[in-house]
Amino acid sequence: MGLELPKYPEMEEDQVFNFTDSEIVSHVKQALASVLSGDNNSYNQLVGVMHHSKHLAPDEVALLETTLKALAGAVSSIDITHHDSLLSAIYCMSMWNYGPHVADALAELIVSLAISNGKYLDLCLGMLVSNFTPPPYFLDKLKMPHGLERKGQVLSRVHAAFKKIADYVPLAPLRLLTIVLQGMPTIYHKDRAIVIYVENMLKLESGEIGELVGSTILMAVVDRLIELDVEIGWDAILQDDFSKGIFEMELEDVDDIEESAEPDVGEFRLSRKSLAGNSIAELLDNLLVLTFEHLESCEREGRLAKVFETLLQSFRVTVLSAYKSKFAQFVMFYACALDPENCGMRFATVLADLFVQDSQPQPTRMSAVSYLASYLSRAKFLAASSISSMLKRLVDWCLEYCEAHDGDINPNAHRVFYSGCQAIMYVLCFRMKVFVDVPRLKSELLIPLEQVLKHKLNPLKVCLPSVVEEFLRQAKAASLFTVCKTFIFDGLLESELSRAFGGLERLDTFFPFDPCLLKKCDSFIRPMFVFWSMVKPTYDDAFDDDDDDDGSSDDDLVQDFVNENEDIMNDEFGKSFDEQGVDMDEFDYALKKMSITPKATSNYKFGGRFQEPARMPSRIRPSTSPESL
Amino acid sequence: MEGLSVADANLVMYLHPSKSRNVSQSILRELGSLLFKFNETFDGVLLAYDVNILDKQAKILSGVHPYFGLRLKANLLLFSPKPDMLLEGKVVKLSQESIHVIVLGFSSAIITAENIRGEFKYRTKDTEELFASKSHKRHVIKVGTMIRFLVKSFDEEILHIIGSLISAHTGSIRWLDRHLEEDSKFDRSFNKLKSFI
């Protein structure tokens, strides 16, 4: 076959061999030692066995296994200079190519080599880290059952090897950390190795050496998420293509449940369509899902609070300072959702603390309050009391600011103040109904707020007109207070003044927790997310029952499509309110058509996770068409 | 155990201006980053420190980044094993080829078969692997035993020690302490006897 088998002592073809392990080990030692005296024959044969990896016959497999085991016993005879060809052959081996027995033997060899001498430690760890990702030909097989089985087999051995090495060389995790971080595939790797690599990193974090390496690894993962995030341009998302008819649904495509080449078939979210071919978005989606699942397992193990502290630090350093991060912040959202009382409150508190600290730079403070506003509005899991206490903090700060500054309207000079006011108004647009009914809140919150809004600094004129308009509309309907002047905005999203306070970074139009446009992510986030359609504005009581579906907290999934779509597309309030009535009529016809195959549709529309119905919001009523018709 | 020492050091630490808000925290962090690493200036691995700021005033270095230099006085616990020193550690792995030891909980050491004196024979007793002395039945080394060994070499980067059990002073600490005491008692009385002769 072109491969010369090493001649083990007394090997004859028709004899049955029964060598003890120590005999084989001593033979290997001899082969290694003979190199020093110039006789390379048996040594070269050994190296040959290592290199032979593809399409092995059973006896070749047995030979490889025996050789590896023997080498493990003979590590003390391996010399770094004389046996470098053997060493490089060993380091190039990939466990993905072999079955469980050879993989075991290889892992054992690597561990023995690593602990025998400090010189080999880094290279052995490096070899194990390179086994995080399968060889290129295997990447496609990963989805198949055979591939998954091999993956489980390899990764369990790799991580077990890390633990063993750490047991005998206590400082190994530190070296491992450096190697893992250096070995992270860049986002430009075509072979998507990064997804499985990050999976391994998260496995390290939750593994037995997790305490030592966990926090650095998590921060590196978030760094990578942000890197991907900033690669997706904002223009890829905000597309104003109204002419296409936002509610066009190709029903025939709905039947095609298989993931076709066109990932957004039947998907009528324009913004998502534009992200459809975007491979970076897909990559980010996959990584975010991995992170979410990891957070879930942390929560099950009771470590979420500790992990959250690392995430918070990472958020402050990386996400907060990134220019308008689009999706990476949902990691925080999901973590808070898993533990609303501790993590949820902690996140809000940290953001509020950042906002009120004078020593923080302006963009940081404005960013923080935008995050806070978006978070308080969108988090379904936050208690009303938490929201009100946060709002109270903001209102108190704004009031203090007003009293300390006696100037006139000046968007540039009081940017932080205006962003604070806008934040308060934004949150109240979503949550006003809650506060209106509680008289104590009315006095604690709304009276000081009135003072702020009526101050000379005139936030109502400077803040984003769409926000102000909606706020005033709801405030009027709830008879909270009246403003002397009427503000005419003409459904404008923004004004010159708002642009001025928003500055170059446009922090006046930054709503970080707007609905997530990444398909798979969204299916995780959805059950804990407040869509604008779910909000019952105070002026709604004035309309007929027909429109009650709008504000129904019962979450009629069909309604969500209508209004969510508006929400994303417009990213503003003006348009959505004005066109609401019109769109409803157009849509109802399509809705009725939809009720034929509701289950499939709903499953598919919600990010296609029909294999795991547990993910779906439990309140789906598949076959109801809107009662209004 | 040899190799451990406490040193009094006069240090000058240069800090970036961004750290000026919380100087003591920055000092601790800087020193913390040196822990468990071999430091050439100290000629040893820093294990622990206790630091005091000598002077509240610090000199600012002129340059692109105006770093400022703080004078500190520190007590440093250093570990610097040199060849032929006797160290003590716990056995974590034992095989016919080698004994693996961990010293002070962070430094790994290996003693290969050729560095174990002929007195010790490898045995397997009830699936437990151990090295037992041929001449002294009670002298046994197995996983969990604290042993005293000689340093052959020390890898400063990985903090990995290559040791040897060739010398007679090496082996299981419990046995050595007990028997050396007896031996020394014997030696003293023998010497006393000698002096009379």
Side-chain angles (χ1 to χ4, degrees):
Chain A
M1 266 181 295
L3 172 73
E4 251 185 68
L5 301 174
K7 298 247 181 285
Y8 285 123
E10 294 146 39
M11 195 155 113
E12 285 182 16
E13 283 176 25
D14 23 283
Q15 264 189 319
V16 178
F17 318 119
N18 248 323
F19 301 111
T20 61
D21 287 341
S22 47
E23 281 176 348
I24 303 184
V25 170
S26 59
H27 178 83
V28 166
K29 278 189 175 176
Q30 265 176 17
L32 291 169
S34 63
V35 174
L36 296 160
S37 47
D39 175 21
N40 287 4
N41 262 333
S42 11
Y43 170 71
N44 286 337
Q45 283 167 4
L46 266 179
V47 180
V49 173
M50 295 294 119
H51 277 298
H52 195 55
S53 63
K54 300 263 170 76
H55 313 300
L56 292 172
D59 57 332
E60 289 171 313
V61 172
L63 177 64
L64 183 57
E65 190 187 334
T66 317
T67 316
L68 287 171
K69 284 197 173 142
L71 278 169
V75 281
S76 46
S77 315
I78 299 181
D79 179 81
I80 198 164
T81 22
H82 292 111
H83 303 129
D84 64 320
S85 54
L86 177 66
L87 285 169
S88 43
I90 295 173
Y91 293 140
C92 291
M93 290 178 83
S94 171
M95 283 192 211
W96 294 84
N97 293 330
Y98 309 107
H101 296 292
V102 176
D104 268 333
L106 181 55
E108 202 192 308
L109 171 58
I110 291 288
V111 172
S112 305
L113 203 52
I115 64 182
S116 69
N117 197 320
K119 291 182 273 194
Y120 301 132
L121 182 65
D122 281 350
L123 290 165
C124 289
L125 290 174
M127 182 270 184
L128 288 170
V129 170
S130 68
N131 270 272
F132 278 176
T133 51
Y137 76 86
F138 206 94
L139 272 168
D140 305 314
K141 298 190 193 170
L142 269 181
K143 299 250 163 78
M144 297 190 264
H146 161 74
L148 281 174
E149 198 191 320
R150 181 57 62 87
K151 172 178 156 186
Q153 168 198 313
V154 172
L155 296 187
S156 61
R157 280 166 177 78
V158 166
H159 288 269
F162 286 143
K163 172 76 174 97
K164 281 197 202 129
I165 296 178
D167 279 341
Y168 306 132
V169 183
L171 291 175
L174 221 61
R175 317 285 307 186
L176 177 62
L177 196 54
T178 328
I179 295 171
V180 166
L181 294 178
Q182 278 170 358
M184 260 183 109
T186 66
I187 59 180
Y188 304 107
H189 266 82
K190 296 267 176 198
D191 59 5
R192 309 309 180 82
I194 188 161
V195 180
I196 191 167
Y197 197 93
V198 169
E199 194 184 326
N200 273 286
M201 286 173 77
L202 293 173
K203 201 170 164 159
L204 266 178
E205 196 273 332
S206 56
E208 282 152 334
I209 55 174
E211 265 181 33
L212 302 163
V213 301
S215 43
T216 319
I217 281 188
L218 270 178
M219 293 187 75
V221 171
V222 175
D223 280 348
R224 195 53 108 234
L225 290 175
I226 281 287
E227 257 184 56
L228 284 166
D229 199 301
V230 301
E231 285 289 315
I232 305 173
W234 270 102
D235 35 302
I237 302 173
L238 300 170
Q239 273 193 354
D240 301 338
D241 208 1
F242 304 122
S243 60
K244 258 206 177 169
I246 30 173
F247 307 114
E248 249 170 54
M249 274 199 305
E250 295 106 69
L251 285 175
E252 47 276 26
D253 297 323
V254 168
D255 294 329
D256 181 15
I257 296 182
E258 239 67 59
E259 291 250 38
S260 57
E262 174 63 58
D264 273 349
V265 147
E267 189 64 64
F268 60 109
R269 294 166 191 228
L270 263 194
S271 350
R272 276 202 184 170
K273 250 194 180 130
S274 59
L275 274 182
N278 196 327
S279 56
I280 300 260
E282 201 189 313
L283 201 52
L284 182 56
D285 204 3
N286 288 330
L287 287 179
L288 278 170
V289 166
L290 266 180
T291 318
F292 289 168
E293 287 171 343
H294 180 78
L295 288 174
E296 280 172 6
S297 77
C298 287
E299 204 265 324
R300 278 193 296 270
E301 293 162 16
R303 333 184 269 125
L304 187 60
K306 203 161 162 234
V307 169
F308 192 74
E309 287 305 310
T310 311
L311 284 178
L312 260 181
Q313 196 187 353
S314 187
F315 176 81
R316 287 185 62 163
V317 171
T318 314
V319 181
L320 195 60
S321 51
Y323 173 67
K324 288 197 173 184
S325 158
K326 292 160 224 74
F327 312 117
Q329 61 270 22
F330 279 100
V331 172
M332 302 305 293
F333 191 91
Y334 198 70
C336 291
L338 290 173
D339 185 7
E341 280 129 32
N342 295 321
C343 301
M345 272 315 286
R346 179 115 175 84
F347 186 49
T349 316
V350 165
L351 289 171
D353 285 343
L354 277 172
F355 172 66
V356 305
Q357 264 178 358
D358 282 328
S359 52
Q360 295 288 339
Q362 251 184 24
T364 310
R365 298 173 74 183
M366 292 172 71
S367 232
V369 82
S370 305
Y371 272 99
L372 183 60
S374 199
Y375 174 62
L376 292 176
S377 317
R378 300 292 191 170
K380 206 186 236 182
F381 46 86
L382 280 178
S385 52
S386 323
I387 301 175
S388 66
S389 62
M390 283 296 130
L391 273 180
K392 185 157 169 10
R393 243 184 117 177
L394 290 178
V395 171
D396 287 345
W397 183 90
C398 288
L399 189 58
E400 254 184 71
Y401 191 91
C402 282
E403 284 162 5
H405 293 83
D406 201 26
D408 262 336
I409 184 170
N410 189 340
N412 281 311
H414 307 289
R415 295 176 72 196
V416 180
F417 169 72
Y418 290 123
S419 58
C421 294
Q422 182 170 300
I424 298 168
M425 287 193 275
Y426 185 82
V427 176
L428 283 173
C429 289
F430 277 79
R431 310 281 194 178
M432 198 178 288
K433 203 103 175 75
V434 177
F435 296 111
V436 155
D437 301 325
V438 182
R440 178 182 66 90
L441 284 178
K442 232 176 164 172
S443 60
E444 268 182 12
L445 203 63
L446 299 166
I447 293 174
L449 180 60
E450 185 173 354
Q451 283 183 289
V452 169
L453 295 177
K454 291 189 172 164
H455 190 265
K456 265 199 279 178
L457 285 168
N458 214 336
L460 291 172
K461 199 166 176 198
V462 179
C463 292
L464 212 58
S466 45
V467 174
V468 176
E469 189 178 347
E470 172 65 12
F471 171 75
L472 288 175
R473 194 173 163 201
Q474 287 204 33
K476 190 170 172 196
S479 327
L480 289 181
F481 44 72
T482 49
V483 266
C484 329
K485 306 180 225 151
T486 43
F487 289 87
I488 305 162
F489 292 120
D490 293 327
L492 273 177
L493 164 63
E494 55 189 34
S495 68
E496 234 180 75
L497 292 167
S498 79
R499 271 196 291 271
F501 98 80
L504 279 173
E505 308 95 345
R506 294 313 309 277
L507 287 169
D508 54 324
T509 53
F510 183 38
F511 304 106
F513 291 114
D514 270 351
C516 185
L517 299 175
L518 296 173
K519 208 153 75 163
K520 292 186 205 165
C521 255
D522 184 50
S523 62
F524 277 81
I525 298 286
R526 186 171 289 258
M528 18 196 104
F529 195 80
V530 174
F531 288 100
W532 177 248
S533 58
M534 290 155 58
V535 173
K536 204 169 180 185
T538 51
Y539 48 77
D540 247 7
D541 297 333
F543 291 173
D544 339 326
D545 290 351
D546 280 5
D547 285 333
D548 259 359
D549 288 327
D550 251 8
S552 155
S553 58
D554 225 359
D555 215 356
D556 194 319
L557 75 88
V558 147
Q559 296 295 342
D560 279 349
F561 288 135
V562 183
N563 299 304
E564 224 172 74
N565 192 54
E566 297 160 351
D567 215 357
I568 300 163
M569 265 203 39
N570 304 324
D571 203 31
E572 47 180 321
F573 291 120
K575 264 211 159 72
S576 57
F577 307 144
D578 295 340
E579 303 195 64
Q580 216 162 329
V582 176
D583 294 334
M584 276 303 301
D585 291 327
E586 263 188 355
F587 195 59
D588 287 336
Y589 174 66
L591 274 178
K592 271 196 156 167
K593 279 217 284 182
M594 207 169 108
S595 63
I596 303 169
T597 50
K599 214 161 199 152
T601 321
S602 60
N603 276 329
Y604 189 77
K605 287 290 184 273
F606 269 142
R609 288 182 73 92
F610 41 80
Q611 296 100 334
E612 292 174 278
R615 287 261 177 271
M616 304 295 295
S618 53
R619 295 178 293 269
I620 293 175
R621 299 185 308 240
S623 52
T624 50
S625 33
E627 289 84 86
S628 50
L629 295 173
Chain B
M1 183 168 117
E2 297 168 353
L4 279 174
S5 57
V6 178
D8 265 322
N10 291 322
L11 305 169
V12 180
M13 184 176 286
Y14 294 100
L15 292 177
H16 189 269
S18 63
K19 312 270 194 275
S20 55
R21 196 182 307 154
N22 196 339
V23 172
S24 27
Q25 194 189 72
S26 314
I27 294 176
L28 291 175
R29 210 169 262 174
E30 280 281 329
L31 282 173
S33 69
L34 295 174
L35 283 174
F36 295 112
K37 290 195 181 80
F38 185 84
N39 193 301
E40 279 189 14
T41 329
F42 303 147
D43 189 30
V45 179
L46 182 63
L47 295 184
Y49 59 84
D50 188 22
V51 68
N52 284 309
I53 304 179
L54 276 179
D55 195 351
K56 280 260 166 95
Q57 292 192 323
K59 260 193 178 158
I60 300 178
L61 292 178
S62 59
V64 176
H65 299 288
Y67 276 68
F68 56 98
L70 281 164
R71 293 200 303 129
L72 311 166
K73 198 168 178 71
N75 259 352
L76 306 169
L77 180 62
L78 298 168
F79 178 60
S80 48
K82 298 269 185 287
D84 292 331
M85 274 189 181
L86 281 173
L87 291 183
E88 298 170 9
K90 191 181 197 175
V91 176
V92 288
K93 185 177 187 302
L94 202 145
S95 72
Q96 190 166 14
E97 308 296 320
S98 57
I99 299 178
H100 296 263
V101 184
I102 293 189
V103 177
L104 290 174
F106 73 92
S107 178
S108 51
I110 184 174
I111 305 166
T112 49
E114 55 258 21
N115 286 316
I116 303 176
R117 59 183 183 271
E119 182 193 334
F120 286 105
K121 270 289 177 248
Y122 171 78
R123 289 213 167 91
T124 321
K125 196 176 170 189
D126 304 326
T127 71
E128 196 184 14
E129 293 173 286
L130 50 91
F131 275 89
S133 163
K134 283 190 292 194
S135 28
H136 307 276
K137 282 221 175 100
R138 290 276 173 92
H139 196 170
V140 157
I141 299 178
K142 50 188 179 172
V143 173
T145 314
M146 292 293 290
I147 63 166
R148 188 175 290 144
F149 62 94
L150 207 75
V151 175
K152 276 188 83 178
S153 71
F154 178 58
D155 180 332
E156 287 161 4
E157 231 190 278
I158 315 272
L159 308 185
H160 187 93
I161 303 169
I162 299 192
S164 102
L165 282 175
I166 303 243
S167 157
H169 297 297
T170 58
S172 157
I173 295 179
R174 192 190 286 177
W175 189 90
L176 284 171
D177 284 346
R178 222 184 297 148
H179 291 265
L180 279 180
E181 217 180 81
E182 284 174 16
D183 280 350
S184 67
K185 272 197 212 148
F186 179 76
D187 276 347
R188 264 184 273 133
S189 47
F190 188 69
N191 281 336
K192 264 194 193 161
L193 210 63
K194 265 174 56 180
S195 63
F196 282 122
I197 298 170

